[in-house]
Amino acid sequence: MAKIAYILLCHKDPEAIIQQAERLTAVGDYMAIHFDASANPKHFAAIKAALQDNPNVAFSRKRIKCGWGAWSLVQATLYAVEAAVDTFPRATHFYMLSGDCMAIKSAEYTHAFLDSNDIDYIESFDYFESDWIKTGMKEERLIYRHFFNERTQKRRFYASYNLQKKLGLTREIPSDLQIQIGSQWWCLRRRTVEWILDFTRMRKDVMRFFKTTWIPDETFFQTLVRHLVPENEIETRTLTFLMFSDYGMPVTFYNDHYELLLSQDFLFARKISPEATDLKERLGALYAAEDQVFQISNEGAGLFKFLTERGRIGRRFASRFWETEATLGRDRELMIVVCKKWHVAKRLVESISHGTNIPVVEYIFNEENAPLPDLGGIQRTLSKRHRHRRALTRMLFEYFETNRLIVCMDPGNFYLLEDFGSDRSGTRILEVECNYTDEFLIGHSKRIGLAGEQTSEETLQRLLPTIRNEIAFEKDRIHDANFDSLYTIKESDSAQENAAPLAEFLGVSPEKAQQIADTPYLFSD
């Protein structure tokens, strides 16, 4: 059975560290601690005094001062790993933790999870091909030598960097290494850890390279694991649940996040608020609990993205010009059917297609697999369609050899409506207003990833008012925009009442509009 040696790097909050060590070792697991040499020595003395009689706790034989982005973080990790390997010969796995992490599964579940697959868990994406680094230095982290800490010695850091850049003092990346990048929160098997330690003793050239690399804790272990371990024995993910805000700051969890955390497909979570005493007590008791059943719905990241994006798109950030003079054409008319119930809009446009000669495409900006002709690759992914939306739409006009085109959109795509509405072409918008039952909203939340099949009823009931409010906000936002040609049909209105706005939107006779409005089961779920 799996036995875990937790590798803990810490620098504050001795009481929390003591509690964490006692909780995780109470069920037979181990912990090796490196306490920052620059931290309060009284805190380290308190930790050592409290844990010195615990045979499942070890301390790094060396302690160094750690700095963010510096080699010292990797060196401190290696010191703790060496202590764990030497002290705990029965440890099968080594799990990297911080003082802000807590288990969100029981030890019984965690051990069974690790026993089920003989693999290493570590994020390791190609350094140059992936988009893991969003802003700032990328290649410069590697090809220049970084002797100073950017946060504590900013002037020296940039003076050294700029001088090397000016003089062309670049260096080669070790030729046999493919640099990888990812989260520093990994879980590795004993064999892998031993291989890494042997590698560090044999390859002094690689050690010299990483010692002057900027932010090596995101690249060192990630690169070495890929170099030493067969690809089919690596799962490129972290087992620690963590999220970041729009501003790159870690999301903090509080007392009311207990159920949410337990439903995620992870073993630990970071960061737990120091003030979340109730959450800490419940999670602390959980690790030692037996016969626990966890319903994994994994909706945490989707929920966070959904809730934090409310109030941003179309409110705080204006859309940017992205194609100079990229009009669809003065003589063209884009007709947009806006509906939250996608199946209703598809039913409607199918009826329109049969009753008129206007070409129709469905939710091309929402569904990856929406049927589209081959347009040279611009249509292949949703991101490309959004990024080149006007070019894509122009090509559709040309493909269908028409000056009128109907496209379906979700009301959440407000920036698309704004962008197309500002074009010199004619833009007409038909809003399809539906009634929404709780059952539909729950199904909708599952389809878009806000909830899963195992999401608890309590979580769903908390989510429903937010979704209803979001739908209402999207409707108000469209009406407040004062689009020149906005028409509305409603589920609550009769087919005869809906025929009039349909006739205006489509530019067809009242009789033809009535036929379309009479589409059987138009609003049915």
Side-chain angles (χ1 to χ4, degrees), residues 344-358 360 362 406 502 506 512-520 522:
V344 172
K346 291 178 181 181
R347 207 173 288 147
L348 175 63
V349 298
E350 182 181 9
S351 184
I352 292 172
S353 179
H354 288 158
T356 71
N357 61 353
I358 307 172
V360 168
E362 295 177 355
I406 294 177
L502 269 173
L506 295 170
K512 180 64 68 177
Q514 185 66 55
Q515 289 178 8
I516 296 169
D518 284 329
T519 299
L522 176 59

Side-chain angles (χ1 to χ4, degrees), residues 200-215:
T200 62
R201 300 181 189 110
M202 295 169 57
R203 291 294 300 273
K204 299 303 180 184
D205 59 321
V206 173
M207 298 299 283
R208 285 193 299 271
F209 172 79
F210 277 108
K211 282 180 180 179
T212 51
T213 294
W214 182 229
I215 321 182

Side-chain angles (χ1 to χ4, degrees), residues 411 431 433 470-480 488 490:
E431 176 194 34
E433 191 176 299
E470 180 68 8
I471 291 174
F473 166 74
E474 290 173 350
K475 170 183 168 61
D476 290 342
R477 182 168 57 178
I478 290 171
H479 283 268
D480 290 343
T488 303
K490 302 178 181 179

Side-chain angles (χ1 to χ4, degrees), residues 59-125:
F59 293 89
S60 300
R61 294 182 178 85
K62 294 182 180 178
R63 292 172 57 220
I64 58 172
K65 296 180 179 179
C66 296
W68 185 91
W71 167 255
S72 54
L73 287 176
V74 177
Q75 186 62 72
T77 304
L78 289 172
Y79 285 151
V81 167
E82 287 169 351
V85 168
D86 292 343
T87 310
F88 309 123
R90 296 180 62 197
T92 61
H93 293 77
F94 296 77
Y95 196 122
M96 185 75 179
L97 288 179
S98 76
D100 297 319
C101 298
M102 286 199 71
I104 56 175
K105 298 292 186 292
S106 64
E108 185 179 66
Y109 179 99
T110 298
H111 295 153
F113 180 92
L114 295 177
D115 281 334
S116 64
N117 290 294
D118 186 22
I119 55 178
D120 296 308
Y121 296 91
I122 184 169
E123 281 192 353
S124 51
F125 304 100

Side-chain angles (χ1 to χ4, degrees), residues 159-223:
S160 171
Y161 163 66
N162 289 326
L163 181 61
Q164 292 178 72
K165 192 174 181 181
K166 183 178 180 179
L167 298 177
L169 300 176
T170 59
R171 61 176 177 175
E172 294 293 328
I173 297 170
S175 59
D176 61 331
L177 294 185
Q178 183 177 5
I179 304 299
Q180 305 285 310
I181 191 166
S183 166
Q184 63 268 53
W185 312 112
W186 40 254
C187 178
L188 304 177
R189 297 166 296 174
R190 185 180 193 93
R191 183 186 66 179
T192 301
V193 166
E194 290 174 344
W195 283 351
I196 290 173
L197 293 178
D198 288 342
F199 186 91
T200 62
R201 300 181 189 110
M202 295 169 57
R203 291 294 300 273
K204 299 303 180 184
D205 59 321
V206 173
M207 298 299 283
R208 285 193 299 271
F209 172 79
F210 277 108
K211 282 180 180 179
T212 51
T213 294
W214 182 229
I215 321 182
D217 54 313
E218 294 180 348
T219 55
F220 180 79
F221 289 98
Q222 296 79 358
T223 300

Side-chain angles (χ1 to χ4, degrees), residues 31-46:
M31 179 173 286
I33 299 173
H34 179 279
F35 193 80
D36 195 331
S38 62
N40 190 330
K42 292 182 180 179
H43 289 173
F44 180 62

